[in-house]
Amino acid sequence: QKEVEQDPGPLSVPEGAIVSLNCTYSNSAFQYFMWYRQYSRKGPELLMYTYSSGNKEDGRFTAQVDKSSKYISLFIRDSQPSDSATYLCAMSYNNAGNMLTFGGGTRLMVKP
Amino acid sequence: DGGITQSPKYLFRKEGQNVTLSCEQNLNHDAMYWYRQDPGQGLRLIYYSQIVNDFQKGDIAEGYSVSREKKESFPLTVTSAQKNPTAFYLCASIREAGRQDTQYFGPGTRLTVL
């Protein structure tokens, strides 16, 4: 069993929809949680970074962490075709930088 | 502009050859990382370096080697001992290992073995 599980998709939604992307993990020691967006043939770019449980909002993006359920989510409101990409969750134990453990990524397609 | 550059963007290798992938950063970051990404899989850590002249193996170091002679450079050599080297290779860096910061990635190098 992988430490971090993520549905690979693809997830196809119409423009304007609310998108929910999720990861589950098995190790309760994870404290820092990140979401990266990766366009095809490009390097990942950091979208959201949260510590411990709770919500964090940035524009159309909301990251949610539920440590009791070992479950994290990324919500995208008013999705746009430019949001079409692969979304990777990542997490680490004692700080946000070292030794990240990644999910396999979910491919999202937003159709005009 | 500050950032991480990787070269080449595409690389082709014959079986039995060693190849070296370049990673350079002008962000003055202390720590640098190499990952491998295969289709449908997450990033897997190959090697990392927290300071100059020091580096550590990651989860899948076999068949790879690195050096860190300068702060801004962290080249990765894929040796002939790596049995399945075709993949997308990503370099990342962080300002200071151990602090509450996160990793920033380069654009990647796609390596194909012919």
Side-chain angles (χ1 to χ4, degrees):
Chain A
Q1 183 188 2
K2 294 180 180 178
E3 270 195 295
V4 180
E5 298 276 2
Q6 194 174 0
D7 187 331
L11 176 62
S12 182
V13 301
E15 183 176 355
I18 296 174
V19 176
S20 172
L21 303 166
N22 311 296
C23 285
T24 59
Y25 61 95
S26 56
N27 193 331
S28 59
F30 286 129
Q31 299 268 21
Y32 295 83
F33 304 91
M34 285 132 278
W35 284 96
Y36 285 84
R37 177 175 62 195
Q38 185 178 24
Y39 291 113
S40 182
R41 304 177 190 273
K42 303 289 186 185
E45 55 180 325
L46 181 68
L47 273 180
M48 301 286 284
Y49 154 45
T50 55
Y51 168 67
S52 195
S53 286
N55 292 0
K56 184 174 183 178
E57 189 173 320
D58 184 1
R60 295 186 296 112
F61 299 92
T62 299
Q64 202 170 71
V65 175
D66 182 349
K67 290 189 70 181
S68 62
S69 301
K70 299 191 186 73
Y71 189 87
I72 68 171
S73 300
L74 177 71
F75 297 97
I76 306 174
R77 291 182 297 281
D78 188 25
S79 56
Q80 304 294 311
S82 59
D83 294 327
S84 298
T86 295
Y87 290 80
L88 299 159
C89 65
M91 44 199 80
S92 66
Y93 302 119
N94 55 1
N95 60 62
N98 282 341
M99 309 311 289
L100 294 180
T101 300
F102 284 85
T106 298
R107 185 175 164 216
L108 172 66
M109 296 187 295
V110 181
K111 298 192 174 182
Chain B
D1 282 338
I4 304 172
T5 57
Q6 291 185 241
S7 61
K9 188 173 181 179
Y10 298 97
L11 184 58
F12 298 91
R13 188 194 96 170
K14 293 181 181 178
E15 285 194 21
Q17 284 184 335
N18 293 354
V19 290
T20 297
L21 283 59
S22 169
C23 178
E24 304 275 333
Q25 53 95 2
N26 61 3
L27 300 165
N28 200 33
H29 283 180
D30 290 324
M32 298 184 74
Y33 305 80
W34 274 106
Y35 292 91
R36 170 184 173 136
Q37 187 176 32
D38 294 283
Q41 296 195 35
L43 280 64
R44 293 183 289 168
L45 183 65
I46 305 172
Y47 268 98
Y48 66 100
S49 168
Q50 296 189 346
I51 57 172
V52 175
N53 293 322
D54 184 61
F55 48 82
Q56 307 295 328
K57 292 182 179 179
D59 299 321
I60 55 165
E62 186 175 349
Y64 300 97
S65 66
V66 293
S67 63
R68 186 87 186 278
E69 297 176 1
K70 299 186 294 183
K71 187 176 184 178
E72 60 270 23
S73 178
F74 190 39
L76 173 74
T77 296
V78 184
T79 75
S80 57
Q82 171 48 239
K83 297 306 178 190
N84 185 22
T86 295
F88 190 46
Y89 290 86
L90 288 158
C91 178
S93 71
I94 186 172
R95 181 177 53 197
E96 185 176 332
R99 290 178 61 89
Q100 287 192 18
D101 198 353
T102 193
Q103 296 181 19
Y104 296 88
F105 286 84
T109 291
R110 186 165 299 277
L111 173 64
T112 302
V113 173
L114 303 174

